[in-house]
Amino acid sequence: MIKVGDTLPAATLMEFSEVEGNGCSIGPNPVDVAKASAGKTIALFALPGAFTPTCSAKHVPSYVDNFSELKAAGVDEIWCVSVNDAFVMGAWARDQKTGGKVRMLGDGSADFAKATGLTLDLSARGMGVRSNRYSMLVKDGKVAALNVEAPGKFEVSDGATLLAQAKG
Protein backbone atom coordinates (compact mmCIF):
# COMPACT_ATOMS: atom_id res chain seq x y z
CA MET A 1 0.00 0.00 0.00
CA ILE A 2 1.19 3.51 -0.79
CA LYS A 3 2.44 5.46 2.22
CA VAL A 4 3.58 8.94 3.24
CA GLY A 5 6.79 9.80 1.39
CA ASP A 6 5.99 7.64 -1.66
CA THR A 7 5.64 9.04 -5.16
CA LEU A 8 2.23 8.67 -6.77
CA PRO A 9 2.17 5.69 -9.14
CA ALA A 10 2.57 6.18 -12.85
CA ALA A 11 -0.97 6.10 -14.19
CA THR A 12 -3.32 7.85 -16.54
CA LEU A 13 -6.71 8.99 -15.29
CA MET A 14 -9.48 10.20 -17.59
CA GLU A 15 -11.34 13.50 -17.37
CA PHE A 16 -14.50 14.56 -19.13
CA SER A 17 -14.99 18.28 -19.70
CA GLU A 18 -17.88 20.17 -21.18
CA VAL A 19 -17.85 23.32 -23.20
CA GLU A 20 -20.69 25.43 -21.88
CA GLY A 21 -23.01 27.01 -24.38
CA ASN A 22 -22.69 24.86 -27.47
CA GLY A 23 -23.51 21.44 -26.06
CA CYS A 24 -20.28 19.89 -27.26
CA SER A 25 -17.99 17.96 -25.01
CA ILE A 26 -14.25 17.67 -24.84
CA GLY A 27 -12.91 14.31 -24.01
CA PRO A 28 -12.52 12.09 -22.34
CA ASN A 29 -9.04 13.47 -21.93
CA PRO A 30 -6.08 11.59 -20.48
CA VAL A 31 -4.50 13.02 -17.33
CA ASP A 32 -0.96 11.79 -16.72
CA VAL A 33 -0.76 11.67 -12.92
CA ALA A 34 2.98 12.43 -12.75
CA LYS A 35 2.79 15.41 -15.12
CA ALA A 36 -0.44 16.79 -13.64
CA SER A 37 0.88 16.67 -10.06
CA ALA A 38 4.41 17.94 -10.73
CA GLY A 39 5.14 21.15 -8.86
CA LYS A 40 1.66 21.31 -7.35
CA THR A 41 -0.05 20.63 -4.06
CA ILE A 42 -3.02 18.35 -4.68
CA ALA A 43 -5.84 17.45 -2.30
CA LEU A 44 -6.69 14.01 -3.70
CA PHE A 45 -9.59 11.96 -2.43
CA ALA A 46 -10.82 8.65 -3.72
CA LEU A 47 -14.05 6.81 -3.19
CA PRO A 48 -15.82 3.62 -4.24
CA GLY A 49 -18.20 5.02 -6.83
CA ALA A 50 -20.00 7.90 -8.44
CA PHE A 51 -23.59 8.50 -7.35
CA THR A 52 -23.24 6.18 -4.33
CA PRO A 53 -24.93 7.45 -1.15
CA THR A 54 -22.03 8.45 1.13
CA CYS A 55 -19.91 9.63 -1.78
CA SER A 56 -22.64 11.93 -3.12
CA ALA A 57 -24.16 13.10 0.16
CA LYS A 58 -20.98 13.64 2.19
CA HIS A 59 -17.61 13.01 0.56
CA VAL A 60 -17.71 15.20 -2.57
CA PRO A 61 -19.65 18.01 -0.82
CA SER A 62 -17.01 18.14 1.94
CA TYR A 63 -14.42 19.17 -0.66
CA VAL A 64 -16.70 21.53 -2.60
CA ASP A 65 -17.61 23.24 0.69
CA ASN A 66 -13.93 23.54 1.72
CA PHE A 67 -12.68 24.67 -1.70
CA SER A 68 -11.81 28.28 -0.74
CA GLU A 69 -10.15 27.26 2.52
CA LEU A 70 -8.09 24.53 0.81
CA LYS A 71 -6.92 27.03 -1.82
CA ALA A 72 -6.01 29.50 0.93
CA ALA A 73 -4.01 26.73 2.64
CA GLY A 74 -1.86 26.30 -0.47
CA VAL A 75 -3.72 23.56 -2.35
CA ASP A 76 -3.47 24.11 -6.10
CA GLU A 77 -6.04 21.51 -7.19
CA ILE A 78 -8.58 19.10 -5.70
CA TRP A 79 -8.93 15.72 -7.38
CA CYS A 80 -11.71 13.21 -6.91
CA VAL A 81 -10.73 9.76 -8.19
CA SER A 82 -13.18 6.91 -8.63
CA VAL A 83 -13.32 3.62 -10.52
CA ASN A 84 -15.81 4.90 -13.07
CA ASP A 85 -15.44 5.98 -16.67
CA ALA A 86 -14.93 9.63 -17.58
CA PHE A 87 -18.50 10.02 -18.85
CA VAL A 88 -19.97 8.93 -15.52
CA MET A 89 -17.52 11.23 -13.70
CA GLY A 90 -18.61 14.10 -15.97
CA ALA A 91 -22.28 13.47 -15.22
CA TRP A 92 -21.50 13.26 -11.51
CA ALA A 93 -19.55 16.53 -11.71
CA ARG A 94 -22.65 18.24 -13.13
CA ASP A 95 -24.83 16.70 -10.42
CA GLN A 96 -22.44 17.72 -7.62
CA LYS A 97 -21.70 21.17 -9.10
CA THR A 98 -17.92 20.66 -8.87
CA GLY A 99 -17.06 22.82 -11.89
CA GLY A 100 -14.01 24.99 -11.27
CA LYS A 101 -13.49 23.41 -7.86
CA VAL A 102 -12.92 19.63 -8.02
CA ARG A 103 -11.45 17.71 -10.94
CA MET A 104 -13.50 14.53 -11.32
CA LEU A 105 -11.09 11.90 -12.62
CA GLY A 106 -12.09 8.44 -13.80
CA ASP A 107 -9.96 5.39 -13.05
CA GLY A 108 -12.11 3.15 -15.25
CA SER A 109 -9.97 0.02 -15.09
CA ALA A 110 -8.88 0.59 -11.47
CA ASP A 111 -5.24 0.89 -12.60
CA PHE A 112 -4.51 3.78 -10.24
CA ALA A 113 -6.36 2.10 -7.36
CA LYS A 114 -4.43 -1.13 -7.91
CA ALA A 115 -1.09 0.71 -8.17
CA THR A 116 -1.70 2.47 -4.84
CA GLY A 117 -2.71 -0.79 -3.19
CA LEU A 118 -5.94 0.84 -2.06
CA THR A 119 -8.53 -1.36 -3.72
CA LEU A 120 -11.82 -2.57 -2.35
CA ASP A 121 -13.35 -5.75 -3.76
CA LEU A 122 -17.10 -5.22 -3.99
CA SER A 123 -17.67 -8.12 -6.41
CA ALA A 124 -20.09 -9.80 -4.00
CA ARG A 125 -22.25 -6.66 -4.25
CA GLY A 126 -22.07 -6.56 -8.05
CA MET A 127 -19.65 -3.61 -8.20
CA GLY A 128 -16.32 -5.34 -8.96
CA VAL A 129 -12.98 -3.97 -7.84
CA ARG A 130 -13.25 -0.37 -6.67
CA SER A 131 -11.12 2.17 -4.86
CA ASN A 132 -11.05 2.24 -1.11
CA ARG A 133 -12.22 5.50 0.46
CA TYR A 134 -9.23 7.68 1.33
CA SER A 135 -7.69 11.11 1.01
CA MET A 136 -4.13 12.25 0.55
CA LEU A 137 -2.25 15.50 0.42
CA VAL A 138 0.22 15.33 -2.46
CA LYS A 139 3.12 17.74 -2.83
CA ASP A 140 5.07 17.68 -6.09
CA GLY A 141 3.92 14.13 -6.78
CA LYS A 142 4.78 12.77 -3.32
CA VAL A 143 2.33 11.72 -0.61
CA ALA A 144 2.58 14.18 2.31
CA ALA A 145 -0.46 12.89 4.26
CA LEU A 146 -2.63 9.80 3.84
CA ASN A 147 -6.00 9.05 5.46
CA VAL A 148 -7.44 5.61 4.71
CA GLU A 149 -10.94 4.77 5.88
CA ALA A 150 -11.85 1.51 7.58
CA PRO A 151 -14.38 -0.54 5.58
CA GLY A 152 -17.80 1.12 5.56
CA LYS A 153 -16.55 4.23 7.39
CA PHE A 154 -16.38 7.94 6.56
CA GLU A 155 -14.37 9.48 9.39
CA VAL A 156 -10.90 10.58 8.21
CA SER A 157 -11.01 11.25 4.46
CA ASP A 158 -13.29 14.29 4.45
CA GLY A 159 -12.39 17.77 3.27
CA ALA A 160 -12.10 19.25 6.77
CA THR A 161 -9.53 16.64 7.83
CA LEU A 162 -7.37 17.23 4.75
CA LEU A 163 -7.75 21.00 5.22
CA ALA A 164 -6.32 20.71 8.75
CA GLN A 165 -3.39 18.72 7.34
CA ALA A 166 -2.82 21.26 4.57
CA LYS A 167 -2.69 24.04 7.14
CA GLY A 168 -0.30 22.03 9.34
Side-chain angles (χ1 to χ4, degrees), residues 59-83:
H59 211 168
V60 174
S62 77
Y63 284 88
V64 172
D65 293 346
N66 282 291
F67 170 76
S68 297
E69 293 85 355
L70 283 160
K71 294 292 274 185
V75 169
D76 297 301
E77 294 182 0
I78 302 170
W79 295 4
C80 173
V81 179
S82 184
V83 181

Side-chain angles (χ1 to χ4, degrees), residues 6-47:
D6 288 351
T7 300
L8 288 179
T12 300
L13 300 169
M14 299 300 284
E15 184 173 33
F16 179 84
S17 302
E18 289 186 279
V19 176
E20 303 237 357
N22 65 8
C24 294
S25 64
I26 302 172
N29 297 305
V31 176
D32 180 295
V33 170
K35 289 179 184 173
S37 63
K40 295 179 185 170
T41 297
I42 310 290
L44 185 155
F45 67 104
L47 31 78

Side-chain angles (χ1 to χ4, degrees), residues 12-16 28 46-52 55-56 80-92 104-111 113 127 129-131:
T12 300
L13 300 169
M14 299 300 284
E15 184 173 33
F16 179 84
L47 31 78
F51 295 104
T52 56
C55 303
S56 291
C80 173
V81 179
S82 184
V83 181
N84 292 108
D85 64 57
F87 298 104
V88 169
M89 294 301 282
W92 198 29
M104 304 296 275
L105 303 172
D107 183 22
S109 298
D111 293 337
M127 296 172 68
V129 174
R130 296 295 180 120
S131 174

